[in-house]
Amino acid sequence: MTVTDPLSPRVTRVLGIQAPLIQSGMAGVAGPRLVAAVSNAGGLGVVAALRLAPDEVRDSIRKVRAATDQPFGVNIWLHDDVRTSPDPQSIPDDVVRSAQAVLNQFRIRLELEPTLDRPPAVVDLVDTALQVMIEEKIPVFSAGLGIPEPELVERFHRVGTKVVCMVATVDDAMAAVANGVDAIAAQGREAGGHRSYGQKHDRSAADKNPTAELVSAVVAAVGAKVPVLAAGGIVDGRGLAEMMKLGAEGALLGTRFVATQESAASDLWKTRLTNGQRATTFTDGFTGQWARVLTSEFTQEWETSGAQALPGLLQAAAGQDLFSRAKKLNDDQLQPLYAGSGVDQLSDVPSAAEVVQRIVIEARASLGSS
Ligand SMILES: Cc1cc2nc3c(=O)[nH]c(=O)nc-3n(C[C@H](O)[C@H](O)[C@H](O)COP(=O)(O)O)c2cc1C
């Protein structure tokens, strides 16, 4: 299938794709099946490598290569506290106890043993994953929650890999471009999942920069040097067209691709994204970093408690037993169901190829090109 968007020559040329659409790397969602489907449809599928062991990263890359000859990407977080995980022993006692006390209320409900213990250390898997990506000479490296340093960009460029960096501020966009990245995804506050900051930030920072405002500002700052893609709240061609009118050359989409047939998300998650009441909120109670999720009993209780999240991804490690039991039991109130604020416009679970085709057709119609 050929889907060419004549309105974005630069980004399609830079990334070697036909449609100016990137499917975000999404841990637990974006496996080889979704990635290959998006790339085969003319967009850029992106594997999520966060928390994968090196052999799992390599295996995912090889599975994608077996299923498509089109360009694809691999994504990982470069957050300071994920690259070098904090020592659980360094967290003050009262912080651990108050976080665990909130989790315990829900553990009891799911018949899990309450605990006030420190979480286990989180193994640092970022640098080993990066090494595998370089050895495998992947077509595109996608960085989130942090900016690749010039040496890392250079290592990728030496093996022919393009680098796309997702940012939440204009300053980060300028820093990433100064470090040599090939394209920027400007991620606004509407985005599903984690806000793209490389250091721990507070809720007010998470809530900053609506996508349209950020895109306009990032295009003004760096658009002459590299293509800028819009990320956050875009689920259809009209949304893409609006961003292109502001100077974006394409879009990076997460939530829309969670609700596709090839996504590895649970049926419960896909159902909650496409039906009924779908308010979203920011929480750091699931992982320790601020993310937009569907509002739930957990997000409300965590917020009301005023408890401080554990640093890095140690909050996820602390609640691992609870969140995985909730997933097993199909409990939609006690597990992270990440969603952008465009979620209330979703009503179906099509194939990933259909999503790409629809968006291209709608965007062309909105932009008045054929
Ligand atoms: C379920 C889910 C998981 C995500 N996981 C990642 C990830 O592993 N790495 C990353 O850089 N961004 C991740 N994101 C954030 C996206 O990169 C992107 O900013 C966002 O999805 C765009 O907004 P939208 O969801 O409204 O389309 C994730 C988003 C979602 C919805």
Side-chain angles (χ1 to χ4, degrees), residues 100-101 103-117 318-322 325:
Q100 289 289 26
L103 299 173
N104 280 343
Q105 296 172 34
F106 295 114
R107 285 193 176 102
I108 291 162
R109 185 161 123 189
L110 299 191
E111 294 176 359
L112 291 165
E113 201 59 43
T115 176
L116 293 173
D117 289 353
Q320 169 71 23
D321 58 335
L322 175 65
R325 173 69 73 95

Side-chain angles (χ1 to χ4, degrees), residues 24-27 29 48 50 75 77 144-145 166 187 190-194 231-234 252-255 258 269 338 340:
S24 153
M26 296 182 278
V29 173
L50 184 67
N75 167 274
W77 292 9
L145 286 84
M166 185 168 71
Q187 185 216 46
E190 294 91 330
H194 293 83
I234 303 160
L252 179 144
L253 279 72
T255 306
V258 178
W269 192 351
Y338 299 107

Side-chain angles (χ1 to χ4, degrees), residues 6-23:
L7 298 173
S8 56
R10 187 171 53 160
V11 75
T12 52
R13 198 179 62 239
V14 169
L15 300 180
I17 53 179
Q18 294 170 301
L21 288 175
I22 301 186
Q23 160 257 309

